[in-house]
Amino acid sequence: MEEEFYFDFSDDAQRSVERYEEMIRNQDQYFFDAQAFENIIDYYIEKSDPVKALQVIEYALNQHPYAAVFLIKQAQLLFVTDQIDKAFFSLQKAEMLEASESEIYVLRGNIYNSLERFTEALDNFQIALTFAETTDEILLQIAYVYQNMLDYESAIKYIKLSLEQNMENKDGLYELAFCYDILDKQEESIQFYMEYIDNDPYSYAAWYNLANSYHKLDLFEKAIDAYDYAILIKDNFASAYYNKGNALVQLDRYAEAIEVYKQTWEYEQPNADTYCAIGECYEKLERMDEARAYYKKSVKMDNKLADAWFGIGVTLNFEERYFESLHFYKKAIELDDENPDFWFAMADAYYKLGQIEQSVEAYYKVLEYNPLDIEAWLDFSTVLYEQGRLLEASETISDGIKNNPDAAELYYRQVAYLFALGQHKEALVYLETALVTDPDKHYILFEYLPQLQDNNAIVEVINRYIK
């Protein structure tokens, strides 16, 4: 059956392979024309047997010493089996026989590219362009070289030239998206894909890449529309369903997202990431049993997926099963120990269990990995304040302010701590700064220390800023 699969294009090819294998068994010499040899070589290449394919080429070159095609195939196979010098030598011989064969230069360009000898790679591809009848693939190869040189602007230029010649080339569309992404030029990307779609409205790859660009700009509604077009054209497009699910999550449309994630299973095997994403949706809907069930399916498929372990912890935490949740947070941190969200959840669980020192250690980790988390600075300082560690609470907020100089919440909190420490003058200076930064949030101060509402000095300063 296997052989038929490779050679359903011709019975002649099938017979050539059988005759060749008979010749080897009989240790004889049969004659084959060049086409027959090509079929036999391709058969072994298809079967991923480069050693046998190279043996066939030896026979072919004995019988057809002037056929450059066999030298090119030989070079290809020598390259694949890491015999680089021999590959170059075969290409040199091929070039002497047939200097205008573009494949010689394409292959040589690819070898140079793999050796990171980019200038020589580009030179060879340029020669190939002069000889080749169709050049869209060669232009794409040139783009890959520029990508390897980290020159993404030039890569974009060549990908566009390639797409002008062959609108159907999906690889080009995805590579272009990749380059725009690296350069963070989503707007240009959107403009290109929209023009492309004007010419070819049925390109699902263009709609998909357009959707991804919208997604990266947080234009989730537009992204969803574009994913829908991609799905309309190619209804088994699992990645489009998955990314559409992610966009729905961003809009807090969790129930819809769950349905869309589940649709991916009609077209590909369920995987750990999808199970985890569904778990997260159920978690956001506060349907914790279902969330936990999906997180468990996720870790069963991939026990290295930190987010899923973490998710199980979150569902237990929601049910006030703090001690149990710690076990799962620790699993997540073992797999991803620089994730501030994991440490934050851990700090909170320890706090709720009254294990204050462990909580404090975990907060230090949160702020080491994400010093921009204002909530964490506030919560950490609260833990210290409640332990009567006033000075530490105030110093923590000072560090928070250094990292987040525009966060009014931190200034208001510092006012409260400085008052508690009896440093009234400094407190009023911080209060002024807080009011300049965001006067509307002054209620935070009274939420935290209600007795300050009766403090004339504070009320006076606030009244100056609030009309």
Coordinates of all heavy atoms in Angstrom, one line a residue, residues 92 98 144 147 161 169 177 204 215 221 233 271 294 389 411 435 455:
Q92 N 29.4 22.5 -7.9 CA 30.4 23.0 -8.8 C 30.4 22.2 -10.1 O 30.4 22.8 -11.2 CB 31.7 22.9 -8.1 CG 32.8 23.8 -8.6 CD 34.1 23.6 -7.8 OE1 34.1 23.2 -6.7 NE2 35.2 23.9 -8.5
E98 N 25.8 22.8 -16.7 CA 24.6 23.5 -17.0 C 24.5 24.8 -16.2 O 23.7 24.9 -15.2 CB 23.4 22.6 -16.8 CG 22.2 23.0 -17.6 CD 21.0 22.1 -17.5 OE1 21.3 20.8 -17.3 OE2 19.9 22.5 -17.6
Y144 N 14.1 35.2 3.8 CA 14.5 34.4 4.9 C 16.0 34.8 5.3 O 16.3 34.8 6.5 CB 14.4 32.9 4.6 CG 13.0 32.4 4.4 CD1 12.8 31.3 3.6 CD2 12.0 32.9 5.1 CE1 11.5 30.8 3.4 CE2 10.7 32.4 5.0 CZ 10.4 31.4 4.1 OH 9.2 30.9 3.9
Q147 N 15.8 37.9 7.2 CA 15.3 37.6 8.6 C 16.4 37.1 9.5 O 16.6 37.5 10.6 CB 14.2 36.6 8.5 CG 12.8 37.1 8.1 CD 11.7 36.1 8.2 OE1 11.9 35.0 8.8 NE2 10.6 36.4 7.7
L161 N 7.4 41.5 -2.8 CA 7.7 41.2 -4.2 C 7.3 39.8 -4.5 O 6.7 39.5 -5.6 CB 9.2 41.3 -4.5 CG 9.8 42.8 -4.5 CD1 11.3 42.8 -4.5 CD2 9.2 43.5 -5.7
N169 N 0.5 32.4 -2.1 CA 1.6 31.8 -1.2 C 1.3 32.1 0.3 O 1.5 33.2 0.7 CB 2.9 32.4 -1.6 CG 4.0 31.6 -1.0 OD1 3.9 31.1 0.2 ND2 5.1 31.3 -1.7
A177 N 3.6 38.6 8.4 CA 3.0 38.9 9.7 C 4.0 38.8 10.8 O 4.1 39.7 11.7 CB 1.9 37.9 10.0
Y204 N -8.0 33.0 3.2 CA -8.3 32.9 4.6 C -7.0 33.3 5.4 O -7.1 33.8 6.5 CB -8.7 31.4 5.0 CG -7.7 30.4 4.7 CD1 -6.6 30.1 5.5 CD2 -7.7 29.7 3.5 CE1 -5.7 29.1 5.3 CE2 -6.8 28.7 3.2 CZ -5.8 28.4 4.1 OH -4.8 27.5 3.8
H215 N -6.0 42.1 16.9 CA -5.9 41.5 18.2 C -4.8 42.2 19.0 O -4.9 42.6 20.2 CB -5.7 40.0 18.1 CG -6.1 39.3 19.4 ND1 -5.3 39.1 20.4 CD2 -7.1 38.6 19.7 CE1 -5.9 38.4 21.4 NE2 -7.0 38.1 21.0
E221 N -13.1 43.6 18.8 CA -14.3 43.4 17.9 C -14.0 43.2 16.5 O -14.5 42.3 15.8 CB -15.2 44.6 18.0 CG -15.7 45.0 19.4 CD -16.9 44.2 19.9 OE1 -17.4 43.3 19.1 OE2 -17.4 44.4 21.0
I233 N -14.3 31.0 5.2 CA -13.6 30.6 4.0 C -13.0 29.2 4.2 O -13.1 28.3 3.3 CB -12.5 31.6 3.6 CG1 -13.1 32.9 3.3 CG2 -11.7 31.0 2.4 CD1 -12.1 34.1 3.3
N271 N -6.1 19.9 23.0 CA -4.8 20.0 23.6 C -4.8 20.7 24.9 O -5.9 21.3 25.3 CB -3.8 20.7 22.6 CG -4.2 22.1 22.2 OD1 -4.8 22.8 23.0 ND2 -3.9 22.5 21.0
Y294 N -11.6 21.2 33.9 CA -10.8 21.5 32.7 C -9.4 21.7 32.9 O -8.5 21.2 32.2 CB -11.4 22.6 31.9 CG -12.6 22.2 31.0 CD1 -13.9 22.3 31.4 CD2 -12.3 21.6 29.8 CE1 -14.9 21.8 30.6 CE2 -13.3 21.1 28.9 CZ -14.6 21.2 29.4 OH -15.6 20.7 28.6
R389 N 4.2 46.8 61.9 CA 5.5 47.2 61.3 C 5.3 48.4 60.5 O 5.4 48.4 59.2 CB 6.0 46.0 60.5 CG 6.4 44.8 61.4 CD 6.3 43.5 60.7 NE 7.4 43.2 59.8 CZ 7.6 42.0 59.2 NH1 6.9 41.0 59.6 NH2 8.6 41.9 58.3
Y411 N 0.5 57.5 46.9 CA 0.7 58.7 47.6 C -0.4 58.8 48.7 O 0.0 59.2 49.9 CB 0.6 59.9 46.7 CG 1.8 60.0 45.7 CD1 1.6 59.7 44.4 CD2 3.1 60.4 46.2 CE1 2.7 59.8 43.5 CE2 4.1 60.5 45.3 CZ 3.9 60.2 43.9 OH 5.0 60.3 43.1
L435 N -3.0 64.8 45.4 CA -4.1 65.6 44.9 C -3.8 66.2 43.5 O -4.6 66.3 42.6 CB -4.5 66.7 45.8 CG -5.2 66.2 47.1 CD1 -5.1 67.3 48.2 CD2 -6.7 65.9 46.8
N455 N -9.8 65.5 60.5 CA -8.5 66.3 60.7 C -8.6 67.5 59.8 O -8.6 67.5 58.6 CB -7.4 65.4 60.2 CG -6.0 66.0 60.4 OD1 -5.8 67.1 59.9 ND2 -5.1 65.4 61.2

